[in-house]
Amino acid sequence: MDARFTAEQDEIRSALWELLRRRCGPEALRSAVDTPAGHDPALWTALAEQLGLPGLALPEAYGGVGCSVTELALACEETGRVLAGSPLLGTAVLAAPLVLALGTDTQRADLLPRIASGTLTASLAAPPGAALGLTADNTGEWAGGGRAGGVQARRITAADRVADPGPGSAGRPSVLGWRLYGQVDQVLDGHSAGLLLVAAHAGGFARSRTLLFLVPGDAPGLVRTRQTALDATRPQARVQLRDVEAELLGDDGDAVPGALARVGDTAAAVLACEAVGAADRALETTVEYVKQREQFGRPIGSFQAVKHRLADVYVQLQAARSAAYFAAWAAAGEEQRVGGLALAQALEALRTAAAEAIQLHGGIGFTWEHQAQLYFKRAAGDDLLFGPTHRLRAHAADTARLFSRTEVSV
């Protein structure tokens, strides 16, 4: 394994940092989270048109750049550094890989080019930790017993079409399809995404299984409500489906749990890199501040206790960075699945760096006006969405059978 960045990777990071530095300052960030979409549409357009970020890890045949997950993770390290709000996570990290892995040729040809160009945003409507296999085996209770994200799927028969044609269905052929009913909370960008990939339970209790469905954002019967999230830079929504017609993703749902688990490992690696970028920026701003703030006639950064605290943060950050980079490299090769462990370490590093930033900034660090609280909320919010960290580690240990009892023959 060559741990050095390639020239292409360095160029992607540099170009992205220059764009974000100009367009995603603290004031712009606060203005963006207060918009109805929860992000700056102009920034998203720039990321798509100038850098091709939504299609960075998509094949060139579908309008993508053709890079791997590693490049996408490194790009997200830069977006995490400034806490840039955008539909990138839901669109490029969660939804697009599932369409690529499970979609039919027609679905891929229709959706992926629009995702790559940034004209179509998407998100996964499912409980992140359970559905993605990060905190538990996603073939267990989550997939059966009617607990697949609280959404039920039933087939539409020709008789249903005749009995309840629905608005705008006059003259349409009586073809078979699906209808969804239920609710999903904490859907990333669920209030603004143009396409939702909804996980739903189908087949009844005895033959229960989880399927993925494509639901347009303007589908009749779909009600989307933006929720007040702990992390305002990561907008979430409650999605209610009231007998909504949906299209099955792919031809057969047997591969859904495996595809979700693979996407979950990739998403964890990307999130780990994003958290590392955020932690690095939090530490950087803290170091700058303790060099300027004076107490007893000298900068507080010259006190040994402060140096030790920041040194501990630096060591924890570097360890998390190494784990995140390795997870991103492993996700591209699909040989090892270590994303969950890397994410746990990165979130802890971010939480520590943000907590020290709040403490060492003194009185200003505790105020709503300072950015330190945004970094702490990013760590806490991701921990609630994709963790918590102790469950990420516990599931990784269970998967590796780390604590399984084995017979030792003498």
Side-chain angles (χ1 to χ4, degrees):
M1 173 184 176
D2 187 353
R4 294 174 298 179
F5 293 132
T6 65
E8 184 179 29
Q9 290 170 346
D10 282 331
E11 185 177 349
I12 291 172
R13 288 159 58 93
S14 177
L16 183 55
W17 171 242
E18 280 297 318
L19 177 63
L20 293 174
R21 183 179 60 83
R22 295 194 311 268
R23 307 191 60 155
C24 201
E27 293 183 3
L29 174 62
R30 292 178 183 273
S31 298
V33 298
D34 291 333
T35 62
H39 66 270
D40 182 6
L43 175 63
W44 175 246
T45 300
L47 293 174
E49 295 181 352
Q50 298 181 27
L51 301 176
L53 207 56
L56 192 61
L58 288 177
E60 295 182 22
Y62 297 111
V65 180
C67 293
S68 69
V69 175
T70 304
E71 283 73 24
L72 181 59
L74 294 177
C76 286
E77 181 181 356
E78 301 304 321
T79 62
R81 193 180 303 275
V82 295
L83 301 181
S86 75
L88 183 64
L89 178 60
T91 301
V93 181
L94 297 179
L98 288 171
V99 175
L100 182 63
L102 301 175
T104 63
D105 291 340
T106 301
Q107 290 170 338
R108 293 174 185 171
D110 175 42
L111 300 175
L112 292 180
R114 290 192 285 154
I115 289 176
S117 66
T119 57
L120 175 66
T121 59
S123 190
L124 174 66
L132 299 176
L134 295 175
T135 56
D137 184 358
N138 68 351
T139 60
E141 288 187 352
W142 174 81
R147 289 182 281 265
V151 180
Q152 305 293 317
R154 69 178 182 88
R155 288 186 179 275
I156 303 174
T157 64
D160 292 328
R161 289 286 191 182
V162 174
D164 182 18
S169 62
R172 292 189 303 185
S174 298
V175 296
L176 294 178
W178 294 85
R179 281 184 180 171
L180 308 181
Y181 192 93
Q183 176 176 304
V184 191
D185 294 323
Q186 295 180 302
V187 180
L188 293 173
D189 300 303
H191 62 295
S192 60
L195 176 71
L196 293 175
L197 271 65
V198 181
H201 165 79
F205 183 81
R207 301 175 59 187
S208 62
R209 59 174 181 161
T210 301
L211 302 175
L212 285 175
F213 296 89
L214 301 173
V215 177
D218 58 353
L222 179 64
V223 180
R224 306 189 290 176
T225 307
R226 183 175 177 179
Q227 296 175 296
T228 301
L230 174 63
D231 178 13
T233 65
R234 192 89 86 190
Q236 302 170 26
R238 174 183 294 113
V239 174
Q240 295 175 315
L241 302 108
R242 302 172 180 176
D243 218 23
V244 175
E245 289 196 26
E247 178 185 353
L248 179 66
L249 179 63
D251 296 319
D252 193 348
D254 293 340
V256 167
L260 284 170
R262 287 191 295 273
V263 169
D265 184 72
T266 299
V270 172
L271 284 164
C273 286
E274 185 185 72
V276 163
D280 189 44
R281 181 57 183 162
L283 176 60
E284 181 182 325
T285 56
T286 306
V287 170
E288 292 174 355
Y289 183 76
V290 299
K291 289 180 180 179
Q292 300 171 4
R293 180 186 172 193
E294 291 189 359
Q295 193 172 30
F296 306 111
R298 55 189 288 193
I300 64 172
S302 64
F303 294 113
Q304 191 175 44
V306 175
K307 290 181 179 179
H308 285 179
R309 290 171 67 172
L310 293 177
D312 289 342
V313 175
Y314 178 79
V315 171
Q316 189 175 4
L317 171 59
Q318 295 307 314
R321 175 176 277 119
S322 297
Y325 285 174
F326 178 76
W329 171 82
E334 297 186 0
E335 296 175 0
Q336 303 181 61
R337 294 187 180 180
V338 293
L341 286 174
L343 178 58
Q345 192 162 355
L347 289 180
E348 287 189 349
L350 175 55
R351 184 186 288 266
T352 302
E356 291 292 356
I358 293 173
Q359 290 285 335
L360 294 176
H361 274 82
I364 188 64
F366 286 86
T367 64
W368 186 261
E369 290 77 12
H370 199 271
Q371 270 198 300
Q373 48 97 9
L374 295 178
Y375 287 90
F376 190 84
K377 288 177 180 178
R378 170 60 64 89
D382 281 358
D383 192 69
L384 290 172
L385 270 176
F386 301 97
T389 54
H390 70 273
R391 292 188 62 186
L392 290 169
R393 288 196 170 98
H395 180 56
D398 291 341
T399 303
R401 302 179 64 84
L402 189 61
F403 300 111
S404 297
R405 298 181 61 182
T406 57
E407 296 290 337
V408 179
S409 58
V410 180

